[in-house]
Amino acid sequence: MAASDRSARLLARLLATTGTAHFVAPGPFDAIVPRALPGDPRTWTYVSGAVELALAAGIALPRTRRASALLAAGFFTAVFPANVKMARDWRDRPGPLRKAAYARLPLQAPLVLWALKVSRDTQV
């Protein structure tokens, strides 16, 4: 199996795992939905989980991998405000939790770059 294929499958697995978590344990995701979004946070949690599952499926299939990985890069960018909200909300939590929330902020960039690489490396 080529390295680019392994990378794509790993990205798909990450998205599938996170997407599933949105349905299995939605509470933590509800808490980081930015208040500026209209409606119930649970709806946004379920929508983002469904999007992650759809992206995972699209990346897992070579035929739709390029477009799905590109969409995943956009998705990772779009959910960044939730990470900012979490960091702000957790600024008074104990050190390890606060550090975990802050660590999520710079980790979003590698996810975007990873998805873009998977898109670029996909054979047409």
Side-chain angles (χ1 to χ4, degrees):
M1 181 184 312
S4 61
D5 194 50
R6 279 193 301 276
S7 180
R9 289 177 188 270
L10 184 60
L11 179 59
R13 227 174 292 136
L14 172 78
L15 284 160
T17 300
T18 307
T20 300
H22 280 69
F23 293 96
V24 174
F29 298 99
D30 293 347
I32 64 172
V33 172
R35 290 184 185 94
L37 292 175
D40 182 36
R42 180 62 51 92
T43 301
W44 288 103
T45 295
Y46 287 157
V47 167
S48 63
V51 168
E52 286 177 321
L53 291 172
L55 290 169
I59 291 169
L61 299 170
R63 179 178 232 159
T64 56
R65 181 171 295 156
R66 175 174 272 171
S68 296
L70 192 57
L71 289 169
F75 177 79
F76 290 141
T77 302
V79 299
F80 184 72
N83 294 345
V84 172
K85 182 181 184 309
M86 182 180 179
R88 291 189 69 199
D89 289 351
W90 287 29
R91 66 182 174 257
D92 295 325
R93 295 240 177 140
L97 293 175
R98 185 176 58 249
K99 287 176 185 175
Y102 291 152
R104 286 185 62 162
L105 297 172
L107 289 177
Q108 209 69 19
L111 288 173
V112 171
L113 294 173
W114 183 14
L116 291 172
K117 181 167 179 21
V118 167
S119 181
R120 272 193 320 272
D121 290 350
T122 300
Q123 299 297 320
V124 181

